[in-house]
Amino acid sequence: MDLNKEIHNAYEIIKEGGIILYPTDTVWGIGCDASNEEAVAKIYALKNREESKSMICLMNSEKMVYNVFKDIPEVAWEILDISEKPTTLILDNPRNVAKNIIAEDNTLAIRIVKEPFCFKLMERMKRPLVSTSANISGMFTPKSFKEISPEIIKGVDYVVNLQQDKICKNPSTIIKLGLDSQVKIIRK
């Protein structure tokens, strides 16, 4: 199980517009280059999910966040500084990402990750990584690799061979932040 080899393999698939199944800082995710509209469409098709239900974008640095959002409420950084568990923020007016991952209200959910595989893969991509739970829309979210359905595993272009024994307790907290500094907790 070689981290660098898995990063290389996943990157090769992603740069060709493919989709991957990979471990995140929370549950297993299906992902692709967040700026590739066709790759994003493949994920919606695999999950049987309406494109109006947006997906999360993983990022690995403040610089990446500023590349996608021009205006970031100060409270966003404060929340991230005090969060003890993975926290997803929903922010207004994203740019430089595929149109089909932006929600109808012109927001995008993002999470900054430190998990080594995701972090290093994005370092290589120089772009955010789409992340959505590894299930068919409406089905339960798998807590471990073993719980992922065969149709999801067969439907991706690459399965990352890391952390397949890991069991996840919870998905991330989700907090929506408006440019008007309104804070709304969507999922604790």
Side-chain angles (χ1 to χ4, degrees):
M1 219 168 51
D2 177 1
L3 180 65
N4 291 331
K5 181 176 172 234
E6 290 302 315
I7 289 164
H8 172 79
N9 293 347
Y11 175 72
E12 291 300 313
I13 296 294
I14 285 172
K15 78 175 191 194
E16 297 300 323
I19 61 176
I20 64 168
L21 180 62
Y22 66 102
T24 73
D25 52 341
T26 58
V27 296
W28 272 76
I30 305 170
C32 67
D33 174 346
S35 65
N36 184 328
E37 219 164 303
E38 287 171 22
V40 170
K42 287 183 194 173
I43 295 177
Y44 281 118
L46 175 61
K47 283 183 65 90
N48 240 336
R49 183 176 174 144
E50 295 165 38
E51 286 203 10
S52 60
K53 290 186 173 180
S54 62
M55 297 185 272
I56 293 174
C57 253
L58 300 183
M59 301 188 182
N60 70 356
S61 65
E62 279 186 28
K63 181 181 172 196
M64 201 174 269
V65 176
Y66 278 109
N67 187 39
V68 176
F69 299 96
K70 201 173 81 169
D71 300 308
I72 301 164
E74 190 52 44
V75 68
W77 304 116
E78 292 166 15
I79 289 169
L80 293 174
D81 286 342
I82 61 168
S83 296
E84 290 175 13
K85 65 180 220 170
T87 300
T88 298
L89 298 178
I90 300 173
L91 301 172
D92 289 325
N93 306 324
R95 59 196 177 152
N96 302 328
V97 292
K99 301 262 181 286
N100 53 350
I101 57 166
I102 299 171
E104 289 174 339
D105 63 355
N106 200 30
T107 59
L108 180 64
I110 62 150
R111 188 164 76 242
I112 298 177
V113 292
K114 295 175 180 72
E115 190 281 323
F117 172 79
C118 294
F119 186 91
K120 289 183 169 165
L121 177 60
M122 286 182 281
E123 230 173 32
R124 183 94 183 261
M125 292 167 57
K126 298 181 178 27
R127 291 196 173 97
L129 180 65
V130 168
S131 183
T132 181
S133 55
N135 60 335
I136 302 296
S137 201
M139 304 300 277
F140 75 99
T141 299
K143 301 248 187 272
S144 68
F145 183 78
K146 284 196 301 268
E147 293 180 359
I148 299 170
S149 77
E151 62 191 305
I152 292 288
I153 294 170
K154 284 187 203 115
V156 297
D157 299 304
Y158 186 71
V159 176
V160 173
N161 188 19
L162 296 169
Q163 301 178 37
Q164 293 190 355
D165 299 332
K166 177 178 134 182
I167 294 173
C168 308
K169 289 166 190 58
N170 297 307
S172 65
T173 298
I174 301 178
I175 301 173
K176 186 170 184 168
L177 299 177
L179 286 174
D180 56 5
S181 296
Q182 198 176 352
V183 176
K184 184 178 175 194
I185 295 175
I186 310 280
R187 180 172 71 200
K188 270 198 159 127

